[in-house]
Amino acid sequence: MKSEKIKVIVVDDHPLVIEGLRTSLGEDDSIEVIKCFNNAADLFSSLKIIITNVIVLDVNLPDMNGVEVCKKITKKHPHIKIIGLSTYNNPSIVKQMIKNGAKGYLLKNVTSKELVTAIHQIHKGQSYFSGEIHTILADSIFNTNAIPKLTRREKEILILVSEGITTPQIAKKLVISPLTVETHRRNLIQKMGVTNAAQLVKIAIEQKLI
Amino acid sequence: MKSEKIKVIVVDDHPLVIEGLRTSLGEDDSIEVIKCFNNAADLFSSLKIIITNVIVLDVNLPDMNGVEVCKKITKKHPHIKIIGLSTYNNPSIVKQMIKNGAKGYLLKNVTSKELVTAIHQIHKGQSYFSGEIHTILADSIFNTNAIPKLTRREKEILILVSEGITTPQIAKKLVISPLTVETHRRNLIQKMGVTNAAQLVKIAIEQKLI
DNA sequence: CAAAAAATACCTGTAAACTAGTAGAAAATT
DNA sequence: AATTTTCTACTAGTTTACAGGTATTTTTTG
C-alpha cells in the first residue's frame, strides 16, 4: 500500500512553467501539486490555511525577493521544505537561499525527472542540488567570499553612480555634502573589493544589487 | 468543419517550459505541437524534413544566439512564422529579433491564453507583441537609438575598463600609449551616449556587450 | 588598388575620482 | 538606556578621467 502523497506548492510567475510543473509532477503518483501561485503575496495568504510538505519556489518573483520569501517561509513554517528554482546560477543568491533555509536548489533547465527525484529526496529530510549548483557550493567552501552588506544610502548612491551621475551632482540631488558622497563611494569601493566605479558597477550588476 | 491545424514547433532549453507549452497549446483544438527541441542544432536538422507553420523560439538557447537562429530560419524557411520568447525584455534583443524576421515577441510571463491568441494571429499573417514589448517598440520609433557598433579594440578596452583596470595599466597590458587608450575610452563613451565609465559599464552590460 | 574605417598617438586643460585618516550626529538595534 | 551602525562632514594630496581638437599609420573593405 502506498503512503500518503507528498503535498507540493508551486510558486512561479511564469504560467508556462507552472503548467509544466503541474503536468510533470502530476505524472508521479506519490506527488500531489495542491496549489500554484504567481506571486509571494498570494502564497503567504494561503499558507495561513493550507498545509504543505514542499514548496517549489522560483527565486525571481514580481512582488518579493526570493531570498526574503525563503526567509519568511522558514521562519513561520519551519517544517516546510523549500526547493529554489532559477534560470541563472548566481552564486550569491544560491548561497543566500541555502542560508535562509532552502533544502534544495535547481536550475530551470532541469528535467522533470530530476525535479521529482529532488522532491522525494528533500521530503525524506535530505538535500538536493543540481550539478551546477553543487559546483558553486564546493567552490564556496574554499572561497569564503561573504556577500558584502550595503546600507540603504550606499545602495542609493550606487544606483546613481551607475547612471553616470557625478559626485557633485549626487550631492545636490540628495542635498548632502559632496564630501559625504565621496565617503559613501569610498566605502562602496572598499566593501565590494573593487578598484574604481566602473568595476563597482560591473560587480554590483553581477551580484544583482542594481 | 474545422480547417487544418496550425503546426507549431517549440524550441526552449527548459524542459519545464516545453512541458508547459505542450500542455497549454494542446488544449487548443486548432493548434498542434508537432515537435519540441532543446537546442538550435536539433531544430535545424529537423527543419530539413519537417514542415511547420509556426516556431515558438526561446531566445536564450545553449548552443546558439537567438537572433542568429531567427536569422537563419527566416533565410532558409521564409514561410515559417517565428514568435520570440524570453524572460527579460532586453530592448536591443527584441529589436534585433524583429529585424531578423520574428513576427511576434512575448515575455515568458504570458498566460497560455495569450500565447494561443498570438499563434493564431501570427498564423493569419499579422503580428503580435505583448504589452511590455509594445512599449519598447513604441519608444524606439522616436528614440532611434541604433545599437552602436564597437570595434574589436574598443570591445577589448571596454572589458578591461569594466574590470577596474586604469588607463595606464591598460596601456601597459596592450603595449600601446596611454593616450591611445584615452582615445578609445572617449570614443566608447561617445558611441554609447553615456557620461562616464561607470555608466558605460552599466549600459554595456544591459546591451549584452560584456 | 583606392577609399573607408580603425588603431595609433599627441596636446592642453579642467573636473572628477580615488586614497587615507578623523570624527561628531543621527538612527537603528539590542 | 546603552551600544552599534549608519550617515554625515571635513582636510589634504595624488591620480585618473573626461573634453576637444588634430593627425599619422595600419587594416579592412568595396
Side-chain angles (χ1 to χ4, degrees), chain B residues 47-99:
Chain B
L47 276 186
K48 291 173 190 165
I49 40 173
I50 299 179
I51 292 170
T52 188
N53 303 123
V54 177
I55 293 180
V56 175
L57 176 66
D58 179 26
V59 176
N60 301 112
L61 294 175
D63 58 340
M64 203 190 279
N65 175 273
V67 178
E68 288 305 310
V69 177
C70 194
K71 201 179 207 165
K72 208 168 161 184
I73 298 172
T74 309
K75 199 174 176 184
K76 295 197 176 177
H77 313 275
H79 61 281
I80 299 178
K81 319 281 189 185
I82 301 166
I83 299 181
L85 205 64
S86 70
T87 312
Y88 305 108
N89 59 345
N90 183 316
S92 79
I93 286 183
V94 174
K95 287 183 217 161
Q96 283 180 72
M97 285 292 288
I98 293 167
K99 194 180 168 189

Side-chain angles (χ1 to χ4, degrees), chain B residues 5-208:
Chain B
K5 284 190 179 187
I6 304 171
K7 292 190 187 73
V8 176
I9 286 180
V10 171
V11 189
D12 196 305
D13 61 329
H14 300 338
L16 294 176
V17 174
I18 287 190
E19 202 52 61
L21 286 164
R22 249 213 179 99
T23 310
S24 303
L25 300 180
E27 284 167 6
D28 190 283
D29 291 337
S30 55
I31 293 174
E32 187 191 356
V33 180
I34 55 171
K35 264 292 193 186
C36 295
F37 300 104
N38 298 302
N39 56 68
D42 290 352
L43 168 71
F44 285 118
S45 56
S46 274
L47 276 186
K48 291 173 190 165
I49 40 173
I50 299 179
I51 292 170
T52 188
N53 303 123
V54 177
I55 293 180
V56 175
L57 176 66
D58 179 26
V59 176
N60 301 112
L61 294 175
D63 58 340
M64 203 190 279
N65 175 273
V67 178
E68 288 305 310
V69 177
C70 194
K71 201 179 207 165
K72 208 168 161 184
I73 298 172
T74 309
K75 199 174 176 184
K76 295 197 176 177
H77 313 275
H79 61 281
I80 299 178
K81 319 281 189 185
I82 301 166
I83 299 181
L85 205 64
S86 70
T87 312
Y88 305 108
N89 59 345
N90 183 316
S92 79
I93 286 183
V94 174
K95 287 183 217 161
Q96 283 180 72
M97 285 292 288
I98 293 167
K99 194 180 168 189
N100 285 295
K103 297 293 182 298
Y105 205 102
L106 302 170
L107 292 185
K108 277 196 180 168
N109 62 7
V110 288
T111 58
S112 49
K113 199 176 163 189
E114 191 175 357
L115 183 58
V116 168
T117 308
I119 290 176
H120 279 141
Q121 200 154 322
I122 281 170
H123 186 241
K124 279 191 283 182
Q126 302 177 330
S127 63
Y128 190 97
F129 301 101
S130 65
E132 297 96 327
I133 305 300
H134 208 271
T135 310
I136 292 174
L137 297 180
D139 285 352
S140 74
I141 292 170
F142 301 98
N143 210 339
T144 345
N145 51 346
I147 306 114
K149 273 176 191 170
L150 303 186
T151 66
R152 254 181 278 167
R153 202 53 150 178
E154 281 166 355
K155 280 181 199 167
E156 199 178 359
I157 284 168
L158 171 58
I159 289 167
L160 294 174
V161 167
S162 80
E163 285 169 355
I165 306 175
T166 64
T167 293
Q169 286 175 321
I170 294 174
K172 263 191 187 173
K173 200 160 195 165
L174 301 182
V175 200
I176 53 177
S177 162
L179 296 161
T180 307
V181 179
E182 282 287 349
T183 303
H184 287 305
R185 277 188 95 118
R186 185 152 28 103
N187 292 337
L188 278 164
I189 287 173
Q190 231 169 38
K191 278 190 183 178
M192 304 291 287
V194 294
T195 59
N196 58 29
Q199 196 187 4
L200 173 66
V201 170
K202 191 195 168 207
I203 300 296
I205 293 174
E206 278 175 11
Q207 226 82 356
K208 308 234 173 187

Side-chain angles (χ1 to χ4, degrees), chain A residues 34-98:
Chain A
I34 55 170
K35 266 291 193 189
C36 295
F37 300 103
N38 298 301
N39 55 68
D42 290 351
L43 168 71
F44 285 119
S45 56
S46 275
L47 274 187
K48 291 173 190 165
I49 40 174
I50 298 178
I51 292 170
T52 188
N53 303 123
V54 176
I55 293 180
V56 176
L57 176 67
D58 178 26
V59 176
N60 301 112
L61 294 175
D63 58 339
M64 203 191 277
N65 175 274
V67 178
E68 288 305 311
V69 176
C70 194
K71 201 180 208 166
K72 208 169 160 185
I73 297 172
T74 309
K75 199 174 175 184
K76 294 196 178 177
H77 311 275
H79 61 282
I80 299 177
K81 319 281 188 185
I82 302 166
I83 299 180
L85 205 65
S86 70
T87 312
Y88 305 108
N89 60 344
N90 182 314
S92 80
I93 286 183
V94 174
K95 287 183 218 162
Q96 283 180 70
M97 285 292 287
I98 293 168

Side-chain angles (χ1 to χ4, degrees), chain A residues 151 153 176-177 179-180 184:
Chain A
T151 66
R153 202 55 151 177
I176 52 176
S177 162
L179 297 161
T180 306
H184 286 306

